[in-house]
Amino acid sequence: YVEDPDRDNIRLGRHVMLLSGAPDRWSDADKKRIFRMENHKWDGRPPALTPEGEKAFERFLRAWVPNYRKQFIDRKPRVYEVSSEWEKSENGSRTTADIVRCYEIASKVIHELDPEGIVCGVGYGPTEDHTMDFLRHGLGKYIDALTVHPYYNPDPVEPNGIIQTVKAARETIFKATGKYLPIINTECGYATYDQKPAEAVQMKHLVRLQSIYAGEGWKSLSLFCRIDYRLQPGFGYVYNLSYGRSHTESGMDYPGPKTSPKPLYPAMSALCWFLTNSRPCGDIPFLGKTCWGYVFKHVPDGKVNLSLWDWGRTRDEAQKIDLRVGRAEVEV
């Protein structure tokens, strides 16, 4: 990429995991020089960088970051995710400190060449062992936000303590880093395993879960992935009706030629319609034993939205609540 004279014309579709660690196209000599590998042999897992490899990584960043900034000059924030959940230290030739060192390099270059850019990682649960290991190794010094993949899937999640877990995550991260890092949800899902009755459960579960994340101040609503895929059917929000075709034949991730939305699709569309460009103003914890809710204020026009739900009852048994809203009319 660095040596390509046309590199600035290469269209960059989105933010990228900068530390992908896939050197399979390099010669054995280059691998030995750039990567620190056990037994001088690359075993397919991401290896650690040598001092010369660190310089190569920095050269790549100095070529790539200006291109990304130029192509998305109007996008704010511009997000640079250095690594995600598969970039672990589960490799004898690479430690957590090695990965944090790559964050240190990336953070310096990105903040120099794109001062408005946001450096983030690492794509696990907000307080799970991998995340805390990275924070103990000083990751907090080099990131502006923490990306998370919060799969909380017992349904309902509320009596299992999810609200308390999300609230506590903010303080746990503060204790580990000395600062309140913004949390960006980049992956979230609930598998139906192709069981038709689970479609409505998936819809309600994820709408409630995303409402909790948004209400507690997390910075995005995100689903994984947009379609069902073969290894874990049920995560997506459109159906895959052609399991026989490969993703290379279809030209996309894993969709067949015919797809249609699940119930989750219009539900999440409605949620995003109401909450995009809104700020959370606090929870509403006094509605009832199985009721919860949040207050959101739409920034452009000041309009207030309430997100309220009862996770313990069916529609026919809905719990009645008395909520004083301070105005004559509300839209439900």
Side-chain angles (χ1 to χ4, degrees):
Y1 182 83
V2 173
E3 297 171 356
D4 186 345
D6 295 322
R7 65 173 182 261
D8 289 344
N9 297 321
I10 298 174
R11 183 65 179 166
L12 305 177
R14 57 184 178 87
H15 77 283
V16 83
M17 270 66 75
L18 295 174
L19 184 61
S20 61
D24 51 297
R25 296 185 182 181
W26 293 22
S27 72
D28 287 339
D30 286 337
K31 291 175 190 175
K32 292 176 182 177
R33 180 166 48 86
I34 299 295
F35 299 100
R36 188 175 76 245
M37 295 172 289
E38 287 185 315
N39 304 319
H40 304 287
K41 181 180 180 182
W42 180 51
D43 63 1
R45 292 176 293 179
L49 295 174
T50 63
E52 188 169 349
E54 291 182 359
K55 294 177 183 177
F57 182 49
E58 180 171 345
R59 285 195 297 271
F60 163 73
L61 291 169
R62 291 192 175 278
W64 192 90
V65 170
N67 187 17
Y68 182 77
R69 182 184 185 186
K70 178 185 68 175
Q71 291 189 22
F72 297 101
I73 192 65
D74 295 326
R75 176 180 291 177
K76 295 180 182 179
R78 281 182 296 278
V79 177
Y80 298 85
E81 190 171 20
V82 178
S83 73
S84 196
E85 67 177 32
W86 54 85
E87 300 291 346
K88 302 176 183 178
S89 55
E90 299 173 342
N91 179 356
S93 63
R94 186 175 71 174
T95 66
T96 300
D98 291 325
I99 304 174
V100 172
R101 169 61 179 154
C102 292
Y103 274 87
E104 181 180 5
I105 296 168
S107 178
K108 174 186 173 182
V109 175
I110 292 167
H111 287 138
E112 174 189 337
L113 301 180
D114 187 358
E116 296 175 325
I118 290 179
V119 180
C120 60
V122 286
Y124 309 102
T127 57
E128 72 173 76
D129 289 345
H130 284 303
T131 302
M132 300 312 296
D133 186 41
F134 273 99
L135 296 180
R136 283 191 294 269
H137 280 80
L139 180 71
K141 293 183 289 186
Y142 308 116
I143 59 174
D144 306 305
L146 187 72
T147 54
V148 296
H149 296 170
Y151 286 90
Y152 300 117
N153 284 344
D155 190 82
V157 292
E158 295 86 348
N160 285 286
I162 180 59
I163 296 169
Q164 292 75 16
T165 297
V166 173
K167 288 180 180 292
R170 183 171 181 267
E171 297 303 320
T172 300
I173 295 167
F174 177 78
K175 290 178 182 178
T177 65
K179 57 185 178 181
Y180 288 110
L181 284 172
I183 299 178
I184 303 176
N185 173 22
T186 58
E187 202 178 286
C188 183
Y190 183 86
T192 66
Y193 298 104
D194 287 341
Q195 301 297 310
K196 204 71 174 178
E199 300 289 2
V201 178
Q202 180 192 54
M203 173 188 71
K204 296 174 184 178
H205 174 92
L206 284 175
V207 166
R208 298 195 326 267
L209 201 58
Q210 299 281 7
S211 296
I212 293 168
Y213 296 154
E216 296 297 338
W218 290 14
K219 299 299 181 181
S220 69
L221 303 175
S222 179
L223 294 176
F224 182 81
C225 58
R226 61 190 174 83
I227 53 157
D228 280 352
Y229 63 110
R230 279 163 278 191
L231 298 179
Q232 292 175 297
F235 274 129
Y237 54 91
V238 295
Y239 298 104
N240 181 351
L241 303 182
S242 181
Y243 286 96
R245 300 183 68 191
S246 70
H247 67 283
T248 54
E249 291 173 328
S250 62
M252 299 175 70
D253 293 339
Y254 284 99
K258 299 177 182 178
T259 58
S260 62
K262 296 182 173 191
L264 176 63
Y265 191 92
M268 281 300 300
S269 296
L271 180 67
C272 292
W273 172 264
F274 284 112
L275 296 189
T276 295
N277 294 324
S278 294
R279 290 177 179 165
C281 301
D283 55 30
I284 309 176
F286 52 80
L287 299 174
K289 187 176 180 180
T290 60
C291 296
W292 196 258
Y294 291 96
V295 181
F296 296 92
K297 186 173 184 179
H298 193 237
V299 175
D301 58 17
K303 185 177 181 179
V304 172
N305 284 315
L306 306 182
S307 176
L308 313 174
W309 68 92
D310 184 339
W311 69 82
R313 298 171 182 268
T314 66
R315 180 186 294 271
D316 294 334
E317 301 170 333
Q319 186 170 332
K320 297 185 184 299
I321 63 171
D322 181 3
L323 187 66
R324 301 181 185 277
V325 296
R327 55 186 296 176
E329 294 182 350
V330 294
E331 180 181 352
V332 179

